[in-house]
Amino acid sequence: MAQDIAWQKSTFSSGGDSADCVELAALGGAVLLRESDAPTQVLSASPTELAAFVRHIRAEVATCA
C-alpha cells in the first residue's frame, strides 16, 4: 500500500498505556484497519462487514456485563 492513507485513531487512545490502538482509514469503498504497534499488518473490510463486526462485539460485551 504505497498510497498516503489518512489513518484515524480514537481520542480514547491518547496517552498512557492506551497509546497502542486500532486505527481506521477509508480507501475507495473499503475500511482499512490496523493496530498502531503493527502498522504493516492491514485488514480490509466493507463498511457493512465492519458494522456487523462491531454489532457482534457489542452484543458479546453486553452479555458478559
Side-chain angles (χ1 to χ4, degrees), residues 6-24:
W7 292 99
Q8 296 182 339
K9 185 185 295 189
S10 170
T11 56
F12 291 104
S13 299
S14 60
D17 293 334
S18 61
D20 293 329
C21 66
V22 173
E23 298 174 321
L24 299 173

Side-chain angles (χ1 to χ4, degrees), residues 2-56:
Q3 297 171 292
D4 287 330
I5 298 173
W7 292 99
Q8 296 182 339
K9 185 185 295 189
S10 170
T11 56
F12 291 104
S13 299
S14 60
D17 293 334
S18 61
D20 293 329
C21 66
V22 173
E23 298 174 321
L24 299 173
L27 183 62
V31 179
L32 305 178
L33 298 97
R34 72 179 185 181
E35 191 169 342
S36 60
D37 66 350
T40 60
Q41 297 177 3
V42 178
L43 300 176
S44 177
S46 72
T48 303
E49 292 168 331
L50 181 59
F53 175 72
V54 170
R55 279 192 304 274
H56 177 76

